[in-house]
Amino acid sequence: MTQSNASSKQTPAALAWARRKEAASRAWQQFRVQRSGLAGLIALGLIAALAILAPVLSDETQLDVTKVNGPTLGAPSGDYPLGTDENGRSVLLLTWWGARVSLTVGLSAALLSVVIGTVIGVLSAHFGGWVSAILMRFTDFFLVLPSLVLAIALSTVLDRGLFTIVLAIGLTSWPSTARLVRAQTLSVEARPYIERAKALGGGHAHVITKHVLPSVLPLVFANTTLAVASAIIAESTLSFLGLGDPTLVTWGSMLKSAASNGAVTTGAWWYLLPPGLGIVAVVLAFTLCGRALETVLNPRLRGER
């Protein structure tokens, strides 16, 4: 009786948060069963921790070409476990610090892309009519354009820098998210409790923020992990093409420098493999996490896998 009386005295907001906490706990228990997703999460945690601790555990001055004295394209040795680049800098240190920029750009660009896609998808499905027609034609316009070509054009027109890369990737990779969110929002809007909320006087803001978004956000979160992987590949591609920030070390810029300074012709594999494997490892880890989240959030997939 005491517990029932206490629960009956809880406010609706407290009850909602209690349900969300319980749902999150169940989702985590289901996610832990997915070994591939858990392995991807552990790998991401290690990579992110190393990237964050790079200024503490390493010497940034060794990235300055005027303060290093290593051999040009030197093979791996005791002093340089992954060899050196064309300027005598440690490839291990370059790869380590390149992870910071690549992860930052990937996360920021994916977040921008998901926010734009979520807003357009929710508004299109909720209001319908001419609003949906305009937003979907706008989405189709960006969908048929090659996103990489459009990102290259934006990076060429705007000033080079980290913000430009994030903006170029984020503004060109949102259409798929918009269509996914729109489909999910239409499914949510057809449920009886949405009609009940509207009949009780709930406005557009109330329906979207209190009912639609809580139902759509889990899918958006799962899609974000996959969007980060795509954004990291896009950033590496733009940097490889020479459109990134020349003052920053990224995995893409390392591959560009390796290709431009004869690493391929001289057989300096230690200059090519570390950044390439870094890209593969991060993209694979995000993909594993995203697939595991899809399985957790979609009961039908949970039964198939």
Side-chain angles (χ1 to χ4, degrees), residues 108-129:
S108 302
L111 182 61
L112 177 61
S113 170
V114 168
V115 168
I116 296 174
T118 300
V119 170
I120 291 180
V122 169
L123 294 181
S124 172
H126 178 77
F127 289 101

Side-chain angles (χ1 to χ4, degrees), residues 8-57:
S8 62
K9 294 180 180 179
Q10 288 183 338
T11 63
L15 289 173
W17 277 110
R19 294 192 190 100
R20 291 169 186 170
K21 184 178 179 179
E22 183 181 356
S25 178
R26 288 197 305 267
W28 169 244
Q29 295 299 327
Q30 295 167 1
F31 183 87
R32 290 175 57 186
V33 179
Q34 307 292 328
R35 294 183 178 180
S36 59
L38 192 60
L41 183 63
I42 293 173
L44 283 179
L46 291 175
I47 295 173
L50 288 174
I52 294 173
L53 295 175
V56 179
L57 302 178

